[in-house]
Structures are given as structure tokens and as C-alpha cells.
Amino acid sequence: MKLGKKGKFFALAGMILLLVVTGYLNVYVNNKSNQTIQTSTITVSNFFETYRSDRTTMREQTVMYLDSVINSELSSAETIAQAQESKMEIVNSIETELKLESVIKALGFEDVVVSSSNENYNIILKSTTLNDEEVAKVLEVVTQQTGTEASNVIIIPVE
């Protein structure tokens, strides 16, 4: 059975979606089981370390998958181009998140992780509470650095 270009595209898109969902569920289930077993030992610093580690692992798995699509002799030129574009989007997200994390830390926060998708940004700060001035500073950094609207930014303090 031969697939046309559209069929290959949808097959690739479906595989990427399944990979991302599987990775997310894997991380979610592992975190749930770890939280159940080690509830008394979880600390805020572990949250930030675990989040970064899980994010890196998921991205590495996705990039490996995309590399296999790019290097496959069975992939069409269009599929390869789409995989390369997806890979570049991941690289751009990594750069943006790292830049935002560095600048926000420079504002005086002990730790921060940034998660982005499309034009939406989740900023998780190590802080018991945030005052209006701190929220405004973080929001200003994110909107200036990314060009996104303030309504697309969620700031979450974590104790």
C-alpha cells in the first residue's frame, strides 16, 4: 500500500503527536508514582530539577524521532522538510526558555522554569508569594523578549 504525500504527512504528524503524548504520559505517570512513594522527600528544588530533567528527556526523544524521519530513505522531501521545521521549532523554544529563565533569575528570583508552546508561556517561580511589582517585572521581561501578549503569560509561584 503506497501513501501519497498527504498520507505521509498525516502519518508523520500522527506519529509525532503519539510520541509527544506518550512522552508526556510517561513523565506524568512516573511523577505521580514518585510523588506517591516519596511524598515526604519532595522539595521545591527537586521540583525544578525534575522538571528540567523531564523536559530535556522529552525533547531529546522527540529530536531523535525527528532525526530518524530526516535520515530515513523512506521519507519524502516534504516529510523531511516538515521534520526539520519541527526540530528548529524545538531549538527555538529551548533558546527562548533558557534566555527567559536567565533574565528572570537576574531579577532576583532563586529559581525559575519556563515552559512555552506557540505564543503561550508558563513561568514557574520559586517564591512563596508574589507582589504586584514582581509580577509586573516578570511579565514585562516575557512580553518584551518574546513579543507575546500579557494574556498569554501565566506566572505561578511555588513554595
Side-chain angles (χ1 to χ4, degrees):
M1 179 179 159
K2 287 191 173 185
L3 293 176
K5 286 186 180 184
K6 285 185 181 180
K8 287 180 183 179
F9 170 74
F10 286 117
L12 174 64
M15 286 184 203
I16 290 173
L17 179 63
L18 284 174
L19 178 65
V20 171
V21 169
T22 302
Y24 175 78
L25 289 175
N26 184 27
V27 169
Y28 179 77
V29 169
N30 284 337
N31 283 343
K32 279 290 189 189
S33 65
N34 287 343
Q35 288 175 353
T36 304
I37 295 169
Q38 303 173 350
T39 304
S40 61
T41 60
I42 294 177
T43 64
V44 174
S45 62
N46 285 349
F47 165 79
F48 288 95
E49 291 170 17
T50 301
Y51 184 91
R52 283 188 187 96
S53 175
D54 292 346
R55 177 177 65 184
T56 300
T57 300
M58 281 185 58
R59 285 183 173 157
E60 286 173 351
Q61 290 173 350
T62 303
V63 168
M64 282 179 20
Y65 173 76
L66 292 170
D67 283 340
S68 69
V69 170
I70 292 166
N71 296 323
S72 173
E73 293 177 8
L74 301 174
S75 297
S76 68
E78 182 181 353
T79 302
I80 292 171
Q82 291 167 348
Q84 289 171 330
E85 184 179 328
S86 294
K87 192 173 172 182
M88 284 308 301
E89 288 173 4
I90 291 170
V91 169
N92 290 335
S93 290
I94 292 169
E95 288 176 2
T96 300
E97 289 170 359
L98 289 174
K99 179 173 53 172
L100 288 172
E101 288 173 2
S102 296
V103 174
I104 292 169
K105 279 183 184 178
L107 294 175
F109 292 98
E110 185 176 339
D111 209 350
V112 61
V113 290
V114 175
S115 170
S116 65
S117 63
N118 299 328
E119 294 295 315
N120 298 310
Y121 295 87
N122 295 314
I123 314 300
I124 304 169
L125 300 165
K126 185 174 183 181
S127 178
T128 54
T129 59
L130 295 172
N131 61 40
D132 291 341
E133 183 180 330
E134 291 171 323
V135 170
K137 284 180 183 179
V138 171
L139 197 55
E140 180 180 8
V141 164
V142 176
T143 56
Q144 284 183 352
Q145 295 288 322
T146 64
T148 194
E149 298 291 323
S151 61
N152 295 334
V153 179
I154 297 174
I155 301 171
I156 305 164
V158 176
E159 293 183 21

